[in-house]
Amino acid sequence: MASESSFDVVSRLDRQEVDNAVNQCAKEISQRYDFRGVDASVSLDGDVITLEATSPERVLAILDVLESRLFRRGVSLKALDLGDREPRPQGRLYRLVCPLREGLSQEVAKQVTKAVRDQGPKGVKATIQGDEVRVSSKSRDSLQAVITLLKELDVDAALQFVNYR
């Protein structure tokens, strides 16, 4: 009898890459001509990135710089929880708070397991384990097909595939 092979579907962030992207964004903001004379800043505090400027347009420009830096460093933009993407006034400054999302929410985990059940090959099982989904099968080829299926799936999280054994 063949043993079961499995892998885990997770959503994790590389904190060092996020920190580097925020630092690069802050450096670019301090050097760019269109941000001169504008109190513009970007900061990372735990799991929250805060963007501040004197106008909503400048805050969205900072967000554009931050997104490009995150993308270049290989961090998925789905990790940012932007909400309605509208900067809020805070005194004389406008602020946009972007919490970082890590881990699979219950809705995303259910979407993943439903996709594996409905569209995946026969004999593949998907179970939710906290903020991860474990996919197992006797056939490694079936697991490869599930990984391909999940890469094409449009969910509201950055998916990674770990612990393939």
Side-chain angles (χ1 to χ4, degrees), residues 42-58:
V42 59
S43 63
L44 174 65
D45 186 31
D47 286 345
V48 178
I49 298 175
T50 305
L51 313 171
E52 291 182 333
T54 54
S55 72
E57 295 81 22
R58 291 291 100 204

Side-chain angles (χ1 to χ4, degrees), residues 2-61:
S3 65
E4 290 237 333
S5 298
S6 66
F7 67 88
D8 295 332
V9 181
V10 297
S11 180
R12 295 185 184 148
L13 286 174
D14 185 351
R15 296 285 178 181
Q16 186 63 48
E17 292 298 333
V18 172
D19 187 41
N20 290 341
V22 169
N23 290 336
Q24 284 180 346
C25 179
K27 184 176 180 181
E28 182 173 336
I29 289 168
S30 70
Q31 294 176 346
R32 274 183 39 177
Y33 179 75
D34 57 337
F35 286 108
R36 293 258 160 79
V38 177
D39 289 336
S41 67
V42 59
S43 63
L44 174 65
D45 186 31
D47 286 345
V48 178
I49 298 175
T50 305
L51 313 171
E52 291 182 333
T54 54
S55 72
E57 295 81 22
R58 291 291 100 204
V59 173
L60 294 177

Side-chain angles (χ1 to χ4, degrees), residues 66-149:
L66 176 66
E67 286 178 340
S68 70
R69 294 299 172 192
L70 287 170
F71 183 76
R72 287 182 187 169
R73 299 202 69 85
V75 178
S76 175
L77 299 181
K78 292 181 178 180
L80 287 178
D81 187 12
L82 294 173
D84 59 0
R85 233 183 142 106
E86 190 64 36
R88 305 267 183 238
Q90 295 283 319
R92 65 178 189 85
L93 293 176
Y94 285 85
R95 178 179 291 166
L96 182 62
V97 177
C98 308
L100 296 172
R101 284 189 287 193
E102 193 168 24
L104 295 177
S105 66
Q106 284 296 317
E107 301 87 44
V108 172
K110 287 178 183 178
Q111 261 186 306
V112 168
T113 56
K114 184 174 179 350
V116 169
R117 216 176 350 165
D118 295 346
Q119 302 168 5
K122 298 276 185 213
V124 177
K125 295 180 284 188
T127 56
I128 300 173
Q129 298 178 340
D131 62 349
E132 300 178 351
V133 175
R134 164 100 12 115
V135 180
S136 59
S137 174
K138 292 186 179 194
S139 168
R140 288 182 174 240
D141 292 336
S142 296
L143 293 179
Q144 290 291 336
V146 169
I147 289 175
T148 304
L149 168 74

